[in-house]
Amino acid sequence: MTSVAERGWQALADSLRAAGERRLVLVEGEPEWCRSWVSGCLEALDTSQALWVGRTEDAELAGVTGIASKQFRRWLGRETGVLVWDGWQGNPPDGLAALSGTLQAGGLLFWLMPPLEDWATFNDPDYVRTGLDQAEHHAFAARMAGVLAADADVIRVRQGHDGALVLPVVESGSSEVEPATTPEQAQLVSQLVRFGLGRRRRPLVVTADRGRGKSAALGMAAAELLLAGRQRVLVTSPSVDNLTSFFRHAAETLGERLAERRVDELMLEGGPSIRYLPVPDLLSEKPEAEVVLVDEAAAVPAHWLRAILLGWPRVAFASTVHGYEGTGRGFAIRFRQVLDRETPHWQSISLAQPVRWADGDPLERQVSALFLLSAESPKQVSPAGGDVVVERWHPAKACERELSEAFGLLVDAHYRTTPADLRQWLDDPGVQSWRAVVNGATVGVLWASVEGGLAPELAEQVAQGVRRPRGHMLAQSLATHGGFPEAAVQRTLRVVRVAVSEEYRQSGIGKRLVIAAAQACEEQGLDGLGTSFGGEPGLLSFWQACGLRVVRLGVRQETSTGEFPVQMLCGISDAGKQLAQGLRDRFAKHWPVLVPRHWAGLTPELVAAVGADLPALARLDAGDRRELESFSEGFRGFDLTLPVLRQVERCPGVMAWLAAKPDLALWCRAVSQGWAWGELRFAGECAGQKAGEMRLRSLVRELLKNGPEL
């Protein structure tokens, strides 16, 4: 490289802008030296769009805007020209990966860190948040250091050697690269306009990597729809801050027609408007609109996405493919099932060509390599191609190909798989993993972590809600919410994720991986094997087939999936079996009280599946039978019989029997979940109280005649 020090950093930024590229500048040294050096460097740069991530006092001293790393979501949807990331204050992978995507062409990312050779033992302040501070060696950081050390496009500034720094000369080619609407982006705008003016119930799903102009295209299309005669276009996203580019491009497209402009709304003369609403407000207010646009859809819980899909005539969903709020690929795979079922005429479009920088941008390549953003499961592995081998596997010691294949399986299989998950997988001291291999290709993977083992005094405090140590998610939940302190004392292997490639699903590989984990529990003297997942009947059935049983259902929906967490456990040791049975018996006793209070909106299929899994604790006496027969013959009213009906569903085999009946939904809604007749009629479960009672009476008659013994 030829020195351009006499022209300095601004000259480098100018040449990068002309070439449509960005650069990572790794500043290695003691923390105060790093901050001082970067502050001096900023004096020579255009900092009108600079952002400092770290301590606000350092940003103020440098004269630029500052935020803490945990606030990174506030900045998504905006653009930066210079980004300073103070790694000495912590390096949450999702934040670093996300904000790198805000840098426009010509941008410089200054990353302040210890020397690369010290990364493996660097005590990152962000580790405390995730319980990783207990690890002595950090494989994730060591791997990142190796990736950066091998990349010639990384500009390294090292304390004590900064005087010899040589900046690269960047050639821009025959013509300068200017940010502009790409043909792909223009095609997307046209397709969005056709969709917005076209037939109802034909939703559009847009996927793209960061920097492809997805939000800008949505904004331009929204404006074109107003100009074409639409009266109301609504846009939603996890935050209005994510929509800066959307509203800017919409306003530019409307031009002189724009009558009123606010942060969250654009309005034309006479009232046609583009308006932002947070997802909860959109669903609670349910305002009329011809078109609804959902940006960063992977960050929106699945049940909200479905409600939006069904609530308006034309809905478009846009998501980042390799996202940091949620993985767009996982979103597309899982949400596709809902789209196929509810709106089979849905369409898909993707963007590949960058808008904010040129193809081959070094920073995009580096961030992708650091966080495996392009990780993909192995393709075209034929089920007839060889024997499946299940083996113990250590992701922290794996080669790049194996790690990328395994992480790609997690990305494809789960709604949200982010760079932070990769760090947790590699660095968690309690992690244990297995993989299924065919001809050298990874076709299945299981990620688990050992939890519990807390001192009895601490476990008692956890159960009382006084203490909450980092980590131990399942152990602490069962101690606190399940009411059994011994759940935090015992050592349990919690399965974090299981993923199998699409070609090999339904072939028993997932079960074989779980069996391997259970065998390891026995060999290691662990007390139990457990898991926690967003409640869904298919997943519940899978874990039941693996020998696990329900011990708890969370009372709050998960923010990632919008589903209530189901927690399941299989006792391994005698103490573990006793704990699992105690948890199940107690939960079964509480179940009929908690269902109408906390799970009234749960799907009937999941209510039946959980109810059937729990121990049957009820028996009917002669008086109960008399009431039940009287109800079945039409002599006794529903409300008077409801206590007995709830007793009935807790008798052995009843919920499993009901699960196969056409009127399962009516039973669950009316009996288990306590819906009023008006609610049942509005939901289409029955024509009214009289009709609903007649169907329930008929169901009870069949139960008494052909059902399990009561």
Side-chain angles (χ1 to χ4, degrees):
M1 290 190 292
T2 303
S3 174
V4 291
E6 65 276 9
R7 289 186 290 137
W9 290 95
Q10 187 58 53
L12 173 62
D14 293 341
S15 63
L16 287 171
R17 186 177 300 108
E21 294 183 359
R22 307 165 303 159
R23 284 294 189 277
L24 171 62
V25 184
L26 194 58
V27 185
E28 307 171 49
E30 296 297 323
E32 291 309 320
W33 179 86
C34 291
R35 293 166 188 142
S36 176
W37 185 90
V38 168
S39 294
C41 186
L42 292 179
E43 295 177 0
L45 285 167
D46 176 4
T47 57
S48 58
Q49 288 184 291
L51 179 66
W52 185 300
V53 183
R55 300 188 308 195
T56 54
E57 56 265 34
D58 295 322
E60 290 172 357
L61 286 173
V64 297
T65 302
I67 62 171
S69 59
K70 64 182 179 182
Q71 299 172 308
F72 76 90
R73 288 181 178 83
R74 285 175 39 198
W75 225 257
L76 300 182
R78 308 190 196 188
E79 294 182 348
T80 54
V82 177
L83 180 62
V84 179
W85 183 281
D86 187 351
W88 286 97
Q89 293 299 302
N91 296 277
D94 295 354
L96 179 56
L99 289 183
S100 70
T102 67
L103 268 178
Q104 53 194 327
L108 296 170
L109 169 53
F110 293 95
W111 192 0
L112 284 52
M113 286 289 285
L116 282 179
E117 56 269 23
D118 297 338
W119 281 26
T121 55
F122 171 50
N123 189 21
D124 191 319
D126 191 57
Y127 290 156
V128 176
R129 180 176 58 86
T130 54
L132 296 177
D133 53 324
Q134 304 301 315
E136 296 180 359
H137 178 84
H138 299 286
F140 177 79
R143 177 188 167 276
M144 286 200 303
V147 169
L148 295 177
D151 195 317
D153 286 321
V154 176
I155 302 173
R156 296 180 63 184
V157 181
R158 285 169 273 191
Q159 185 175 0
H161 302 279
D162 51 306
L165 175 65
V166 178
L167 297 180
V169 173
V170 180
E171 302 294 339
S172 62
S174 57
S175 60
E176 291 191 2
V177 176
E178 292 288 344
T181 301
T182 65
E184 276 187 339
Q185 193 184 33
Q187 180 185 357
L188 173 58
V189 172
S190 297
Q191 192 160 346
L192 282 165
V193 172
R194 287 198 302 273
F195 142 82
L197 296 174
R199 298 173 65 181
R200 302 160 61 97
R201 312 294 294 159
R202 295 176 181 268
L204 189 65
V205 176
V206 182
T207 53
D209 273 339
R210 289 220 177 272
R212 269 59 184 175
K214 166 178 59 64
S215 295
L218 290 175
M220 289 185 277
E224 294 284 0
L225 287 171
L226 288 196
L227 296 176
R230 288 300 186 200
Q231 296 298 301
R232 173 70 66 84
V233 175
L234 296 176
V235 60
T236 190
S237 179
S239 168
V240 71
D241 293 333
N242 301 157
L243 295 171
T244 303
S245 175
F246 172 93
F247 277 110
R248 184 176 76 250
H249 283 86
E252 291 173 356
T253 303
L254 293 174
E256 295 180 356
R257 299 283 300 276
L258 185 61
E260 187 175 343
R261 178 175 184 175
R262 295 199 295 267
V263 174
D264 59 355
E265 187 172 19
L266 303 176
M267 189 175 295
L268 303 184
E269 288 288 346
S273 67
I274 303 168
R275 182 187 174 200
Y276 163 78
L277 277 176
V279 179
D281 295 351
L282 177 69
L283 292 175
S284 63
E285 297 176 16
K286 296 182 179 176
E288 289 188 7
E290 296 104 329
V291 179
V292 174
L293 306 175
V294 184
D295 200 10
E296 298 302 348
V300 178
H303 71 296
W304 283 355
L305 292 176
R306 181 178 182 276
I308 296 171
L309 173 68
L310 300 179
W312 285 268
R314 299 169 192 84
V315 183
F317 303 91
S319 180
T320 307
V321 177
H322 303 121
Y324 316 107
E325 309 85 359
T327 304
R329 228 161 66 216
F331 151 77
I333 291 169
R334 285 193 60 179
F335 196 52
R336 183 183 301 147
Q337 301 168 5
V338 177
L339 292 165
D340 286 341
R341 183 174 64 250
E342 305 287 358
T343 53
H345 297 295
W346 68 280
Q347 306 166 68
S348 176
I349 189 170
S350 61
L351 299 177
Q353 188 177 353
V355 172
R356 288 206 294 268
W357 51 78
D359 269 325
D361 169 59
L363 181 61
E364 184 174 46
R365 184 192 71 245
Q366 290 154 2
V367 171
S368 180
L370 287 172
F371 304 116
L372 291 182
L373 297 185
S374 299
E376 293 188 353
S377 57
K379 304 302 180 187
Q380 298 178 339
V381 181
S382 170
D387 294 333
V388 178
V389 178
V390 173
E391 62 185 18
R392 184 73 181 271
W393 184 66
H394 303 279
K397 299 177 182 178
C399 67
E400 280 294 298
R401 179 186 64 81
E402 287 183 1
L403 184 61
S404 182
E405 285 182 353
F407 195 64
L409 284 173
L410 297 184
V411 169
D412 284 348
H414 291 272
Y415 195 79
R416 287 197 174 181
T417 301
T418 70
D421 292 313
L422 179 62
R423 181 179 69 175
Q424 197 74 21
W425 198 16
L426 296 184
D427 283 1
D428 179 1
V431 75
Q432 298 190 24
S433 301
W434 287 262
R435 68 169 182 157
V437 186
V438 175
N439 293 335
T442 303
V443 298
V445 65
L446 183 147
W447 163 16
S449 181
V450 177
E451 296 186 349
L454 304 184
E457 303 81 22
L458 177 57
E460 189 65 44
Q461 292 176 325
V462 168
Q464 294 171 359
V466 176
R467 295 282 299 277
R468 189 177 177 83
R470 299 286 182 183
H472 309 283
M473 186 275 283
L474 180 61
Q476 290 200 71
S477 179
L478 295 180
T480 305
H481 306 293
F484 283 74
E486 52 266 45
V489 176
Q490 294 186 11
R491 297 173 68 233
T492 301
L493 185 67
R494 176 174 69 92
V495 178
V496 181
R497 302 275 178 89
V498 180
V500 176
S501 65
E502 189 171 0
E503 298 88 346
Y504 279 83
R505 287 173 193 161
Q506 307 300 320
S507 65
I509 289 180
K511 185 177 180 180
R512 288 179 59 184
L513 288 165
V514 176
I515 290 172
Q519 291 172 343
C521 290
E522 292 187 22
E523 295 165 1
Q524 298 169 33
L526 300 180
D527 295 292
L529 177 70
T531 190
S532 179
F533 57 91
E536 190 271 321
L539 283 176
L540 178 59
S541 178
F542 166 76
W543 286 108
Q544 287 173 325
C546 294
L548 280 72
R549 291 293 176 264
V550 175
V551 290
R552 181 178 174 266
L553 182 64
V555 297
R556 290 186 178 86
Q557 292 163 294
E558 293 179 330
T559 55
S560 58
T561 65
E563 296 161 345
F564 291 94
V566 175
Q567 296 178 342
M568 302 182 72
L569 190 64
C570 173
I572 302 294
S573 69
D574 289 342
K577 292 175 182 176
Q578 186 176 352
L579 171 64
Q581 190 60 51
L583 284 162
R584 284 172 51 73
D585 288 345
R586 188 166 184 81
F587 184 50
K589 185 184 298 184
H590 295 170
W591 173 252
V593 177
L594 295 176
V595 171
R597 182 171 178 83
H598 292 291
W599 303 307
L602 211 61
T603 65
E605 293 77 15
L606 189 56
V607 171
V610 173
D613 186 272
L614 293 175
L617 303 180
R619 290 290 187 275
L620 300 188
D621 59 25
D624 295 330
R625 288 177 178 279
R626 188 167 55 249
E627 284 194 30
L628 203 59
E629 290 171 356
S630 180
F631 173 74
S632 72
E633 298 300 330
F635 304 124
R636 188 171 179 83
F638 171 79
D639 289 332
L640 292 175
T641 317
L642 181 58
V644 177
L645 295 175
R646 287 187 176 171
Q647 280 281 91
V648 166
E649 64 182 17
R650 299 171 65 205
C651 292
V654 169
M655 286 309 298
W657 183 86
L658 286 169
K661 299 302 174 183
D663 277 332
L664 170 70
L666 177 60
W667 177 284
C668 288
R669 297 302 196 202
V671 178
S672 311
Q673 297 170 291
W675 285 28
W677 291 110
E679 294 174 307
L680 291 165
R681 184 175 62 254
F682 182 77
E685 300 292 356
C686 64
Q689 180 172 352
K690 184 177 180 180
E693 285 195 7
M694 287 180 62
R695 287 164 55 192
L696 290 175
R697 294 180 197 279
S698 176
L699 191 58
V700 170
R701 280 198 301 274
E702 185 181 355
L703 175 63
L704 290 170
K705 183 178 179 180
N706 301 316
E709 185 177 349
L710 301 177

